[in-house]
Amino acid sequence: MKVRNIFVFLAGLAMSATAFGQNFGNARPSREDLNQIRAEAREDINIAKRTAQRSPLLAKSSAPGSANLATIPSPYDDPDSFGNNVRFLGSLYAGTVYVYHSCDPQVLLDELGITLAGDDKCVVHNPPAAPMNQTQVLYDPAWEYTIPKNTLNNTLYVLTNNNPGYDANEIAGVPGIFTVYYQPVVTIVSTALNDPLAIDPSTGQPMNGQYTTSLTGSSLTTRSLSTGAGDFVSEYKSYGGVGSRGFSRSYWRAVGLPDSVINKLYNRKMSLRFGIRVRTTGSVSFGQFYYTMRMLGD
């Protein structure tokens, strides 16, 4: 038996709100799916650029031909937070999402020794009969955290410790290519986002009271197993991270919200619904995905 550890990590995702709905078909990522993933990986760059363009501390050069060049760069990207104290705002475990050929409680107990807790989810992936080839976004009422009004002045940081893991092996009748996609997501809910000026940049439509984006820690693995070789792949990771500047006033300005909406967002209670976006295709025999997080704010 060969053992291979394969992991492709795409991080720095700051604004993804679109759930994948296309079929991988033969477990091969489509061009549309790959372009979506690449766009999400670039989004942190786009946020940083838009923030810099809106920063009042960037002075423009008056030299001919250099009207768009910043000659006095800001010493920091988030002036609203400079010098402020940071407070702990709580922590949360977002349950575990299991992927297996059956979600029957007795099967999970007998074959894996797993008893699902109240916050856990199970998704059936039973190749080739019933492949899980659509991305699913899983939320739970227990994964929601509410921040009281007037708690934050500027920044909300969500520190995640991500734990995606899976096993894959050659299965008769299943394409040798398999894909595992994992992404932690959060939906921010506030009456401030009912304002007609609150437009979701990914859709161009009103936010209607909520905005969904990804957290740090997304990963995509796609790999081909050798036919008849009895290949087996096992990958379990744990890593932490904080994306970008967090959900700061600068972030919301880069998203496109006017200050009138941003002020209401911070003056009113804000609920955060944490979720997990997951997809498996091909010869994945087992998967478990979860993250823990801690929030900081100033």
Side-chain angles (χ1 to χ4, degrees):
M1 178 187 298
K2 300 178 184 177
V3 178
R4 298 178 181 173
N5 290 326
I6 308 297
F7 183 70
V8 180
F9 175 62
L10 300 177
L13 309 180
M15 291 173 57
S16 168
T18 304
F20 297 165
Q22 298 166 338
N23 194 323
F24 269 27
N26 191 25
R28 295 177 181 272
S30 69
R31 182 183 298 274
E32 291 77 12
D33 284 326
L34 288 176
N35 285 342
Q36 175 68 33
I37 293 165
R38 292 164 181 162
E40 290 176 346
R42 294 192 301 268
E43 203 54 56
D44 204 32
I45 300 172
N46 297 334
I47 284 285
K49 288 181 177 179
R50 286 195 289 268
T51 300
Q53 291 170 356
R54 291 169 177 262
S55 173
L57 300 181
L58 293 179
K60 301 298 183 180
S61 170
S62 59
S66 60
N68 294 323
L69 298 180
T71 57
I72 307 177
S74 167
Y76 41 85
D77 289 333
D78 194 9
D80 295 312
S81 286
F82 188 76
N84 288 350
N85 293 325
V86 176
R87 292 174 291 173
F88 287 101
L89 298 177
S91 61
L92 182 142
Y93 155 65
T96 298
V97 176
Y98 294 100
V99 176
Y100 199 52
H101 71 84
S102 172
C103 287
D104 183 276
Q106 194 61 50
V107 172
L108 294 175
L109 180 61
D110 292 345
E111 298 185 6
L112 300 174
I114 291 175
T115 299
L116 296 180
D119 291 344
D120 294 339
K121 306 290 185 182
C122 182
V123 181
V124 173
H125 175 55
N126 187 22
M132 175 188 165
N133 55 15
Q134 297 292 327
T135 298
Q136 299 195 30
V137 183
L138 300 136
Y139 290 98
D140 188 284
W143 302 357
E144 182 169 317
Y145 188 94
T146 297
I147 299 175
K149 64 180 181 180
N150 298 319
T151 299
L152 296 172
N153 179 58
N154 179 54
T155 304
L156 171 66
Y157 277 108
V158 179
L159 291 75
T160 57
N161 182 38
N162 297 275
N163 293 269
Y166 68 93
D167 299 329
N169 57 276
E170 183 193 0
I171 302 173
V174 178
I177 296 175
F178 72 88
T179 300
V180 177
Y181 177 70
Y182 160 81
Q183 184 182 54
V185 294
V186 63
T187 295
I188 297 173
V189 181
S190 170
T191 57
L193 300 181
N194 284 320
D195 193 299
L197 297 177
I199 303 299
D200 190 324
S202 65
T203 64
Q205 300 299 315
M207 291 185 180
N208 292 323
Q210 62 183 36
Y211 176 70
T212 300
T213 187
S214 60
L215 299 168
T216 301
S218 296
S219 63
L220 168 69
T221 301
T222 181
R223 183 65 180 174
S224 179
L225 299 176
S226 301
T227 303
D231 275 4
F232 176 79
V233 177
S234 181
E235 179 64 41
Y236 293 87
K237 287 283 187 179
S238 176
Y239 54 95
V242 181
S244 187
R245 290 160 299 281
F247 299 107
S248 65
R249 292 177 183 270
S250 295
Y251 172 89
W252 291 114
R253 291 187 189 106
V255 167
L257 297 186
D259 283 342
S260 59
V261 175
I262 295 173
N263 290 335
K264 288 189 291 185
L265 185 64
Y266 285 88
N267 292 339
R268 300 178 183 179
K269 73 174 183 179
M270 181 190 307
S271 294
L272 292 90
R273 296 177 57 228
F274 294 94
I276 294 175
R277 182 175 293 164
V278 63
R279 171 190 288 183
T280 62
T281 66
S283 303
V284 176
S285 55
F286 174 75
Q288 63 180 28
F289 308 89
Y290 71 94
Y291 62 91
T292 57
M293 49 74 63
R294 178 176 290 280
M295 289 184 291
L296 307 175
D298 67 2

